[in-house]
Amino acid sequence: MSAHADNHAHDDHGHHHKETFVTKYIFSQDHKMIAKQYLITGTIMGVIGVLMSMMFRMQIAWPEEPNVLFEALLGKWAPDGVMDADIYLALVTIHGTIMVFFVLTAGLSGTFSNLLIPLQIGARDMASGFLNMISYWLFFVSSVIMVISLFVEAGPAAAGWTIYPPLSALPMAQGGSGMGMTLWLVSMAIFIASSLLGSLNYIVTVINLRTKGMSMTRLPLTIWAFFVTAIIGVVSFPVLLSAALLLIMDRSFGTSFFLSDIFIQGEVLHYQGGSPVLFEHLFWFLGHPEVYIVILPAMGLVSEIMASNSRKPIFGYRAMIASILAIAFLSTIVWGHHMFISGMNPFLGSVFTFTTLLIAIPSAVKAFNWITTLWKGNLQMNPAMLFSIGFVSTFITGGLTGIILGDSALDINVHDTYFVVAHFHLVMGISALYGMFAGIYHWYPRMFGRMLNKNLGYIHFWVTAVCAYGVFFPMHFIGMAGLPRRYYTNSNFPLFDDLANVNVIITIFALVGGVVQIVYLYNFFGSIFYGKKSVQNPWKSTTLEWTAPVEHMHGNWPGEIPHVHRWAYDYSKPGHDVDFVPQNIPLKDGEEELQH
């Protein structure tokens, strides 16, 4: 009740003084503007990450062939247009870092948690607008530092996105182990601070600021997903922060947390007693929950979009919540499956195998519930719905190969091959991107008050979908043939000569898939100014964000905040004239709230 009263205390917040350009667009405390800042910053970082992937794909397909693009973009790292071996690993490292942390984490949690949590629970804003603003600006600073690290003279960080010691711990190990690595660690430390501030804000907002009638079992699945994601972040991100700080100490202050007996050119270094495997444990204790920090928000968005566009209640609402909670718990006890070949005790390996296979159960519950939601629905095949269905497809396809990698006896055969690259790109990278695109197509009218061009959306989806499978499906087979990942050329190994043509095909799909994102970027930025103006509830959805006016205002609703009388998925309910009943519509006499 106090939270409800507080909400009304802020009724006129932001209307007493004229906002300047700086307070409205730059140092804004309005959650909707901060969501847009996250999205546009994440989009710019995404362009950089995709460009890098296109460059190293060209290097793998046509190794040692001069390339004008390399010469133009890489300068001294591509003498006469031939890519240097060191910069190849640096490109892979920064591509992975940017896509996992700066695009997917920010594009999903940063954007949609900010946009939807206050709107869908019926709150004026986040619990702390100021902390929210600080969280975005820390994210922005960390993004800038990561981009600056690309221009360091000795080269950016080049120890793989997992930055295992000793490559990352010894500044003299290689070019990218110097200043580039230091900037990587500083950037990640700031990014983690940003994520923690954001996560705490999301948790407090969901617990304290729900409007009258909004019980936890009436929350849309999007909010459940954001809420649980924030909890996972608070549990696991500090562990990576500690790993990064200890690594900085190893690099700069002579400690040896992660360094043991090391020889360089016959000379024994003074480090002793540390363990690189300790770093692996700390990294993957975040690294595996990070997969779910990325995928859970996408699952929430897809659940919401599928219910709305199939004009049916989501199937198994409580089972969906239970599976989100089960995934969150299990995600923190499976990190060891990344380390089966690190010399792990076989018994411990079998424990991690068991917990890894266990996490397939809640994931399967979600997949079957999505399929059942679609079954016999009145499907509206708009771009958001297509990307949602694409998400389910890639999530199932990528998840099936996870069963092989989660088994310690099978994983040893394909560890560090392209099979692993194919698996995690499908189940995490492509699936999360599809979830993000689905969310953008669905909530764009809520963000910008305009509609995206549907036909451009169809082109974007179909070309992206064909290219994504064209890139990552063949990778499973070259991985099973033994092709190792992270090698800048395989021409020294006659064993892999037969796979060269497959790599060319993969690269062509990657280039086409990368170029078609220009259609999306044109649609996104062009529609902000020239798109068709949106009506208040373009998709005829039931959740609260569509009850707010199209014109943005700090505080979301003029006058009183709507109260909630029903759950979030009253689609095609018997006894009503229309096929959707918004949450703020009171129950009729004799009408029962759906048992879900």
Side-chain angles (χ1 to χ4, degrees), residues 271-288:
Y271 300 104
Q272 58 183 35
S275 166
V277 176
L278 169 61
F279 179 86
E280 290 188 37
H281 279 292
L282 293 175
F283 180 88
W284 286 115
F285 188 82
L286 161 91
H288 200 80

Side-chain angles (χ1 to χ4, degrees), residues 36 49 110 142 172 217 405 421 459 461 489 520 538 596:
K36 291 183 210 174
S142 72
M172 72 290 277
T217 50
L405 294 171
V421 179
I459 294 168
F461 170 74
T489 173
Y520 159 74
H596 46 264

Side-chain angles (χ1 to χ4, degrees), residues 62-219:
W62 302 288
E64 290 148 32
E65 284 186 27
N67 188 314
V68 184
L69 189 67
F70 292 171
E71 202 163 8
L73 292 176
L74 299 176
K76 69 169 185 175
W77 297 107
D80 301 323
V82 178
M83 188 184 288
D84 185 79
D86 285 344
I87 202 67
Y88 174 82
L89 189 54
L91 287 174
V92 173
T93 301
I94 305 296
H95 162 79
T97 307
I98 282 178
M99 297 309 283
V100 170
F101 295 109
F102 293 88
V103 177
L104 297 177
T105 307
L108 284 157
S109 276
T111 300
F112 290 104
S113 295
N114 265 307
L115 177 70
L116 295 178
I117 287 177
L119 280 167
Q120 288 195 335
I121 67 171
R124 293 285 180 202
D125 204 327
M126 284 288 178
S128 169
F130 179 73
L131 268 190
N132 209 12
M133 178 187 78
I134 297 291
S135 156
Y136 167 72
W137 278 102
L138 286 174
F139 168 73
F140 180 79
V141 169
S142 72
S143 302
V144 169
I145 293 172
M146 190 60 73
V147 171
I148 287 171
S149 79
L150 299 173
F151 301 97
V152 173
E153 190 176 353
W161 78 278
T162 54
I163 58 156
Y164 286 171
L167 266 186
S168 58
L170 296 169
M172 72 290 277
Q174 58 176 3
S177 298
M179 177 57 79
M181 190 69 238
T182 303
L183 288 173
W184 192 100
L185 289 166
V186 170
S187 169
M188 285 309 299
I190 297 170
F191 172 84
I192 291 164
S194 155
S195 293
L196 286 172
L197 288 179
S199 296
L200 291 169
N201 219 350
Y202 306 151
I203 292 167
V204 172
T205 305
V206 172
I207 290 174
N208 284 342
L209 298 186
R210 300 191 307 280
T211 187
K212 190 174 179 184
M214 181 62 87
S215 63
M216 293 299 276
T217 50
R218 283 177 173 171
L219 286 175

Side-chain angles (χ1 to χ4, degrees), residues 220-232 292 295-297 299-301 303 316-331 359 362-363 365-366 370:
L221 288 171
T222 36
I223 302 300
W224 270 104
F226 300 145
F227 178 58
V228 173
T229 299
I231 293 169
I232 303 175
Y292 295 98
I295 209 77
L296 277 178
M299 289 174 164
L301 298 174
S303 302
Y317 173 82
R318 288 181 188 246
M320 290 292 239
I321 294 171
S323 63
I324 288 173
L325 295 169
I327 286 171
F329 170 69
L330 290 169
S331 74
I359 209 167
S363 302
V365 167
K366 298 191 87 60
W370 287 320

